[in-house]
Amino acid sequence: MTIIRVALDIPIDSLFDYIAPDATQLDIGSYARVPFGKKFMIGIILAISDDAHVSHDKLKQADEILRNIPPIPPALIELFEFCSHYYHYPIGRVIMNGVPTRLRSIKPVPQRFITSFLFRLTETGYAIALSSTPGRSKTKHHLLTHLKEVGTITSKEAKQLSQRAPKLLQEFLAQGWVEKILEEPEFTPNINASPILQLTTEQITAINTIQAEIGLFNTWLLHGITGSGKTEVYLQITSMLLKQKRQVLILVPEINLTPRLEEIFRSRFPNTHLISLHSKLNPTERMNGWLQAQRGEASIVLGTRLAIFTPLPKLGLIIVDEEHDPSFKQQDGLRYSARDIAIFRAKQANAPILLGSATPSLESYYNTITGRYRRILLRARAVKNATLPIIHYVNTRSVQLKEGLSEQLLIALERTLTQKQQSMVFINRRGYAPVLLCKSCTWLATCSRCSSRLVVHLTQKNLRCHYCGYTEQLPPACPQCGDQDLMPFGHGTQRIEAALAKLFPHARILRVDRDNTRGKEAWQLILNAIHKQQVDILVGTQLLAKGHDFPNLSLVGVLNADTSLYSMDFRAEERLFAQLMQVAGRAGRAETAGEVLIQTEFPNHPLYLALQHHDYDAYAQILLREREITHFPPYSHQALLNAEAPHIAAAIEFLSMASKLVEPGKQIEIFDPVPAQMTRLKGLERAYLLVQSHSRKKLQLFLSEWYIKLCKIPHGKVRWALDVDPSEF
Ligand code: ADP
Ligand code: ZN
Ligand code: ZN
């Protein structure tokens, strides 16, 4: 009996067996429609076997193997299996996380979306004598003759030949007379990659270094300061691989924030098929992108973290832009790091991978020290005469602030306005004010579902939770004591915007934060306004810091940076440093020198000193030494067991029980369960347990054993999840 073993989108880490008499080894990777409970589901065939793992009377018959959809290629299945093992997550869930929803739906995919394969005669096929096929099998004779003349045939052509021909082709396939190949996409030789710019010496060195080993797996860390021209390096290397007819995968942290990159690649390679994969696509668009990539028609795939799971039969290069960005890590479901998986994938394809950043993650930086990655430095700005901005600090302990703004900053803003240049005021809080406070009884507006304070949004006249989205009207009086004198406390983007409007009545001010940038169009409008100089002062959150190029921006003011300096999360400082380097990098990108003013209570903090000298390496060294002493990554490897329950006690109890399931062994450290920093979130209370080891291998061995036991213990109302290489605490 032939059994197909299918991966389904079910939270159980095993394959499901079905009878499929017509299945062959060639069906591995194919989509199959199978009954599950009372309904049907689409699964992926991962194995064919003669015998089932369950008793025969329990076996059901598979409904259909969907051979019209190109099967998932072996390399991608291998990648899924790696993720399932590494992140300890059910294989079916891993696969279904990566495969487009439209292909996972039991609604049949119309044939017009799927270009047929070619069936190509093999040598065995050629060797079959026509005379050996009996005369009564006319169609067979006919088909074989046709193949011997032309060499290949599509299913569609076969159907025109005879209704029976497609079925015969499957037989030929099983006998090894023909093989299934992807239709060769038409090659467009017009790759217009001649550099428009005169490359800088550093760019030339970078390009030559990578080119010397272009056909080999290597992890290159392209560490180039903001404005050093990393994009041009990406473009040049991409062009080399396009000439070799290879596919290029480009990962970006957030597609809405980097429309520029897509534009640049499209205009540099106008005749190359580029697809952009991101969360705003509808299911059909996403499926089309996936299939085009799988057929090799798309030569450049640009996308957010999910794009790492795109089938790319001719993968020749991966670029991860802004590799330090935390958005490459998914925070729920399959908690994967697209950057880390990208390295696995590049290795698998024996292709180079370029990690680009002005502020590499400490992990990547450390890997260049140990020699696992190779660092290429771009130390100077690419535009002639463009220099790095001068950074000043305003000690907020010794000066008076007016609506959160210092005198020095106001003077600098005034000067920039008169010079007809742009300024940016950076504040890491959206909304009007972070809290609503009652002066008489000290009541604070808090979220009932999270342990967070509600943020005042004056323009919309409401209070909002930035964690769960809960919104309520601004109360007219204090709900606790009835006093009407409620006061917004602290500063958010809206409040700073209002203050600036009052102080500079003639300036054109634009606020940029999550509240007014939903949708791709919104961003485009904002960027256009900035580029057309229709804005004098930008007020925004870190959204503004990511990867933009504003040539006329010459002043950046930073308001409340200190909040991250003494955080519970050991990565907070690293992130603050990266963020400030990026923000500072926005100033003076073209020929106008830039200035950065940072308001802080701790101007002598090593972070600020290193920042002032634009010295990434110095600060990275300091942080690394701290991590070494505290045994934190990159000097150790971590995993978190997260638990959430209606009450914290249940979550903690579950974690304590979990911590005793497996004898940890010498090199594994299990910490005590602790409540999460945001204990209450969306009505549930959360806690976690940290596991750590110097050896990734030992940690993985422990996790494998632990995971099996965790799946078996009763957990009542507790929901748990493992997070390997966690990035947030
Ligand atoms: P990065 O991504 O490293 O921050 P970009 O690639 O955005 O920097 O380049 C910054 C600016 O420098 C862009 O406006 C780009 O057009 C320009 N640029 C890049 N290379 C050169 C070059 N060789 N000569 C002149 N300008 C360049
Ligand atoms: Zn009150
Ligand atoms: Zn909330």
Side-chain angles (χ1 to χ4, degrees):
M1 184 162 38
T2 311
I3 302 293
I4 53 174
R5 316 207 61 223
V6 177
L8 291 174
D9 193 3
I10 300 286
I12 295 173
D13 203 0
S14 69
L15 300 176
F16 295 82
D17 292 359
Y18 291 92
I19 305 167
D22 64 333
T24 71
Q25 289 298 325
L26 294 162
D27 290 316
I28 290 180
S30 287
Y31 298 71
R33 189 171 52 236
V34 296
F36 192 85
K38 288 201 174 90
K39 50 182 190 177
F40 284 95
M41 287 183 94
I42 297 291
I44 305 296
I45 303 174
L46 291 192
I48 310 277
S49 122
D50 296 334
D51 203 8
H53 290 213
V54 291
S55 68
H56 286 197
D57 52 324
K58 278 197 185 144
L59 275 177
K60 287 188 191 164
Q61 181 113 13
D63 195 42
E64 192 188 352
I65 297 174
L66 308 171
R67 295 201 177 87
N68 64 330
I69 304 175
I72 296 177
L76 194 55
I77 290 185
E78 192 186 44
L79 183 77
F80 286 137
E81 280 170 347
F82 165 75
C83 285
S84 172
H85 290 145
Y86 187 79
Y87 292 108
H88 305 276
Y89 202 65
I91 181 70
R93 283 269 151 112
V94 171
I95 294 180
M96 297 311 170
N97 171 76
V99 172
T101 30
R102 186 61 189 86
L103 290 174
R104 285 185 264 146
S105 123
I106 53 163
K107 206 171 93 191
V109 178
Q111 190 58 40
R112 73 192 142 87
F113 287 122
I114 304 155
T115 307
S116 44
F117 293 97
L118 285 178
F119 290 88
R120 181 167 63 192
L121 202 60
T122 58
E123 290 205 20
T124 324
Y126 269 114
I128 304 292
L130 277 174
S131 52
S132 71
T133 57
R136 61 189 153 77
S137 171
K138 229 167 125 190
T139 320
K140 202 169 181 177
H141 207 269
H142 205 43
L143 185 63
L144 201 57
T145 315
H146 179 91
L147 277 167
K148 287 201 170 193
E149 278 166 10
V150 192
T152 58
I153 194 168
T154 64
S155 320
K156 208 166 150 195
E157 289 164 350
K159 216 170 197 164
Q160 282 161 357
L161 216 64
S162 148
Q163 280 299 324
R164 278 192 53 229
K167 181 126 200 296
L168 276 174
L169 274 176
Q170 291 300 331
E171 275 174 32
F172 284 12
L173 197 61
Q175 284 163 310
W177 294 5
V178 292
E179 58 192 354
K180 241 177 179 180
I181 57 161
L182 290 171
E183 219 162 331
E184 201 45 37
E186 233 166 275
F187 182 58
T188 44
N190 187 3
I191 299 170
N192 168 24
S194 57
I196 295 153
L197 309 155
Q198 171 118 39
L199 296 174
T200 65
T201 19
E202 286 185 328
Q203 283 171 327
I204 293 172
T205 312
I207 292 161
N208 289 344
T209 312
I210 299 166
Q211 184 174 22
E213 297 175 59
I214 194 80
L216 296 174
F217 164 69
N218 262 310
T219 310
W220 301 102
L221 179 67
L222 184 60
H223 181 186
I225 62 163
T226 49
S228 59
K230 292 185 286 294
T231 319
E232 190 57 41
V233 177
Y234 299 159
L235 289 164
Q236 300 271 338
I237 305 295
T238 298
S239 119
M240 290 172 199
L241 285 139
L242 290 180
K243 280 186 191 138
Q244 296 181 12
K245 301 196 190 187
R246 303 289 290 271
Q247 291 172 302
V248 176
L249 173 66
I250 305 163
L251 297 180
V252 295
E254 261 179 90
I255 212 110
N256 278 342
L257 303 184
T258 36
R260 197 182 122 247
L261 206 60
E262 183 180 337
E263 223 173 270
I264 291 173
F265 273 83
R266 280 196 197 283
S267 63
R268 182 64 69 88
F269 307 112
N271 298 316
T272 303
H273 190 58
L274 179 151
I275 55 169
S276 168
L277 295 178
H278 51 85
S279 57
K280 300 255 155 63
L281 297 180
N282 70 38
T284 305
E285 287 169 333
R286 204 175 151 233
M287 172 183 70
N288 284 340
W290 165 282
L291 291 173
Q292 284 164 9
Q294 176 160 14
R295 290 194 297 260
E297 290 163 12
S299 303
I300 302 179
V301 174
L302 185 101
T304 45
R305 59 170 182 261
L306 193 55
I308 191 57
F309 296 115
T310 314
L312 296 158
K314 294 183 292 184
L315 181 62
L317 170 69
I318 304 180
I319 295 169
V320 183
D321 191 29
E322 309 290 352
E323 68 89 27
H324 62 277
D325 199 296
S327 348
F328 285 120
K329 179 96 202 282
Q330 180 150 303
Q331 297 297 347
D332 52 15
L334 172 64
R335 291 158 200 247
Y336 66 100
S337 155
R339 178 198 60 203
D340 297 351
I341 299 180
I343 292 166
F344 177 90
R345 233 189 141 170
K347 191 167 182 184
Q348 189 189 38
N350 195 24
I353 172 166
L354 258 67
L355 308 178
S357 176
T359 51
S361 64
L362 271 195
E363 279 83 355
S364 296
Y365 179 73
Y366 179 71
N367 280 329
T368 65
I369 296 174
T370 62
R372 285 189 61 211
Y373 300 175
R374 291 159 71 183
R375 181 156 78 141
I376 299 175
L377 278 167
L378 302 177
R379 296 165 204 268
R381 289 201 152 175
V383 174
K384 262 214 186 80
N385 301 325
T387 47
L388 284 169
I390 299 160
I391 298 176
H392 301 289
Y393 298 102
V394 178
N395 189 338
T396 49
R397 288 189 185 188
S398 55
V399 299
Q400 275 275 308
L401 298 183
K402 207 190 269 177
E403 280 289 329
L405 301 158
S406 64
E407 189 65 33
Q408 284 101 312
L409 182 55
L410 293 176
I411 293 170
L413 283 167
E414 180 75 61
R415 192 179 55 233
T416 313
L417 270 176
T418 11
Q419 288 168 351
K420 301 218 177 326
Q421 299 255 319
Q422 291 174 322
S423 317
M424 180 170 108
V425 177
F426 175 81
I427 177 161
N428 227 346
R429 259 187 219 130
R430 65 198 164 95
Y432 182 79
V435 290
L436 188 67
L437 181 77
C438 170
K439 278 200 279 187
S440 354
C441 76
T442 69
W443 169 86
L444 267 177
T446 53
C447 179
S448 55
R449 309 170 65 212
C450 310
S451 28
S452 69
R453 292 156 176 182
L454 295 176
V455 177
V456 182
H457 286 248
L458 259 201
T459 30
Q460 295 88 351
K461 297 199 173 46
N462 60 26
L463 288 169
R464 234 182 275 171
C465 171
H466 284 187
Y467 293 91
C468 73
Y470 168 81
T471 306
E472 68 177 45
Q473 290 295 305
L474 270 181
C478 171
Q480 196 164 279
C481 73
D483 195 322
Q484 296 194 352
D485 197 12
L486 291 177
M487 195 183 67
F489 192 77
H491 294 87
T493 44
Q494 288 184 7
R495 188 166 188 179
I496 294 296
E497 180 191 19
L500 288 170
K502 221 184 256 165
L503 292 161
F504 302 102
H506 301 296
R508 295 162 301 174
I509 299 171
L510 179 67
R511 178 170 52 85
V512 181
D513 57 29
R514 268 226 201 274
D515 295 321
N516 67 347
T517 52
R518 300 184 202 279
K520 206 168 174 166
E521 288 77 38
W523 255 109
Q524 210 48 56
L525 289 177
I526 288 171
L527 292 178
N528 287 347
I530 298 172
H531 282 280
K532 285 192 196 140
Q533 304 249 36
Q534 292 162 346
V535 182
D536 300 313
I537 304 177
L538 282 157
V539 179
T541 56
Q542 83 271 16
L543 281 188
L544 270 178
K546 290 192 181 184
H548 295 295
D549 195 12
F550 304 140
N552 277 297
L553 187 78
S554 62
L555 172 68
V556 173
V558 180
L559 298 193
N560 60 344
D562 292 343
T563 41
S564 309
L565 277 184
Y566 302 96
S567 155
M568 256 173 70
D569 190 335
F570 69 88
R571 283 196 183 84
E573 270 187 50
E574 175 187 347
R575 297 221 168 111
L576 175 65
F577 186 68
Q579 212 175 54
L580 291 178
M581 283 277 262
Q582 300 278 350
V583 181
R586 300 304 123 206
R589 302 246 310 171
E591 292 180 22
T592 23
E595 181 183 359
V596 179
L597 263 176
I598 298 176
Q599 300 187 170
T600 168
E601 289 188 27
F602 312 99
N604 292 319
H605 191 284
L607 185 148
Y608 291 127
L609 295 179
L611 186 70
Q612 195 158 34
H613 296 108
H614 304 281
D615 199 343
Y616 169 91
D617 282 75
Y619 196 55
Q621 294 288 350
I622 294 175
L623 288 180
L624 276 182
R625 229 165 295 136
E626 276 174 24
R627 302 270 181 98
E628 191 172 11
I629 294 164
T630 50
H631 304 290
F632 275 137
Y635 294 93
S636 65
H637 304 279
Q638 299 180 325
L640 280 185
L641 178 62
N642 293 299
E644 55 180 35
H647 296 289
I648 189 79
I652 299 268
E653 196 191 347
F654 171 84
L655 292 174
S656 326
M657 178 167 62
S659 70
K660 295 177 194 98
L661 279 179
V662 175
E663 190 52 50
K666 253 201 221 125
Q667 292 186 51
I668 304 283
E669 226 179 325
I670 303 181
F671 291 79
D672 288 334
V674 284
Q677 200 170 2
M678 274 283 297
T679 308
R680 261 177 89 73
L681 185 71
K682 301 180 190 180
L684 288 173
E685 300 194 336
R686 307 165 326 138
Y688 64 77
L689 178 73
L690 176 65
V691 183
Q692 190 169 290
S693 174
H694 287 284
S695 150
R696 196 189 288 280
K697 211 167 143 199
K698 292 259 158 59
L699 179 65
Q700 279 295 334
L701 283 173
F702 169 81
L703 291 176
S704 301
E705 197 185 336
W706 202 31
Y707 174 72
I708 293 170
K709 297 212 166 145
L710 281 169
C711 290
K712 286 186 186 141
I713 57 171
H715 48 88
K717 287 210 169 116
V718 178
R719 285 207 343 219
W720 62 269
L722 266 181
D723 187 352
V724 180
D725 304 328
S727 67
E728 315 242 331
F729 287 82

